Amino acid sequence: MTDSQTGPQTGPETGAVHGTSRYAALDIGGTKIAAALVNGNGTVLHRARTATPRGGGTADGAAGGAAVLAAAARLLDDLGDDAVEALGVGAPGVIGPAGQVVSATDVLPGWAGTPVRETLADLTGLPVTVVNDVRAMAYGEAHAGAGAGFHRVLHISIGTGVGGALTTAGRLENGAHGTAGELAHLLVPERGPVPCGCGRRDHLEAVASGPAIAATGDPGHAAALLGRALAGLLAVLDPDAVVIGGGVAQIGAPFLDAVTAAFRDEALPPLRATPILPAALGTDAPLVGAALLAKTALLARTDLPVWTTLPAGTTLPAETTLPAKPRE
């Protein structure tokens, strides 16, 4: 993989508009790091993965975060020699406007405080865009997956943890504190077999995550609890659809059918027909989303008249600086 800016090119404007340009993407998780080469239309061209380094971090997490990002940067070399325009990263935790991890659970020990964007930009020489991993999944599904065509979508990821994100007209909704759409910490009426990432056992993540299901051996019960929680949550959010992805969702119809049945039993009548759909992109969703966000951010960094060339509904990462619009 090489930086497209070091060789002949037609400029980032071409890469942002046409599907022929290439974007690198990383999905950093607690057990694995995945990488992909993605074209401008959201098609994955190459994939690579490696185990997430464990241990070796200092009390402030600096060394641990550096080791994870060094492994991620090395993984990009496995994507081949195609020139790429930019790098998009889906990372766990709450991501700040400078691409740093503001807060994180112990799913990835020592991760909080890691300057993801700055470090990867130094290691790769590429423009880097960083977003929470579930938000990356949501952006991918909203633009190239099951959420495409719906106006307002609640995206849910069930895996090592439980995560959520909201999109409206393809735009990510971050909220005042960067947590819009999160549902891991919804209260449930029983004690879970494992703690939520925050430490409590009466949260949805404690009963519906992959580790919780492994501990009980009862995915149907976890699905029912998720469906009941959605019945209350959708009364507040009122989305057009719900998209469920992540490792647990790979169970398929038995899990999703149980979620849907519990939801319809508990939901208000006007909400019961809300589609609950499986994610279409599978484990590629956060990679596709991160790549498309990198593409959007690259468009905004050029001297193009962004206010006229960005597609309707395009969302820009919080750290993006737009060129000033000239006076009429």
Side-chain angles (χ1 to χ4, degrees), residues 95-292:
I95 307 300
Q100 81 284 18
V101 183
V102 175
S103 65
T105 67
D106 289 336
V107 170
L108 190 59
W111 185 241
T114 301
V116 179
R117 186 178 69 174
E118 178 183 354
T119 302
L120 285 174
D122 289 343
L123 290 172
T124 66
L126 292 167
V128 178
T129 299
V130 185
V131 68
N132 168 268
D133 51 358
V134 178
R135 281 166 169 68
M137 181 208 87
Y139 196 81
E141 289 290 340
H143 285 262
F150 292 100
H151 179 69
R152 184 169 170 84
V153 182
L154 174 64
H155 304 263
I156 302 171
S157 177
I158 309 290
T160 305
V162 174
L166 279 171
T167 58
T168 300
R171 301 189 307 271
L172 284 170
E173 294 191 23
N174 292 315
H177 306 95
T179 63
E182 280 292 349
L183 65 165
H185 308 291
L186 293 177
L187 293 170
V188 293
E190 61 184 69
R191 182 178 173 82
V194 299
C196 175
C198 70
R200 292 181 57 158
R201 289 181 180 260
D202 57 348
H203 285 179
L204 183 61
E205 185 169 278
V207 298
S209 66
I213 293 172
T216 63
D218 190 353
H221 182 62
L225 289 171
L226 174 59
R228 293 180 63 188
L230 288 178
L233 185 60
L234 264 62
V236 177
L237 300 178
D238 196 15
D240 295 285
V242 177
V243 174
I244 301 181
V248 170
Q250 302 303 310
I251 295 172
F255 185 82
L256 293 174
D257 289 350
V259 172
T260 301
F263 165 74
R264 289 179 176 165
D265 283 346
E266 301 282 350
L268 293 172
L271 301 174
R272 291 173 188 166
T274 303
I276 298 179
L277 307 169
L281 300 178
T283 55
D284 282 342
L287 294 165
V288 171
L292 293 179

Side-chain angles (χ1 to χ4, degrees), residues 12 16 293-307 309-310 314-317 319-324:
L293 279 165
K295 169 187 168 180
T296 299
L298 187 65
L299 240 179
R301 292 187 184 107
T302 72
D303 58 359
L304 284 173
V306 175
W307 53 90
T309 58
L310 286 178
T314 299
T315 183
L316 297 179
E319 67 270 21
T320 300
T321 301
L322 297 178

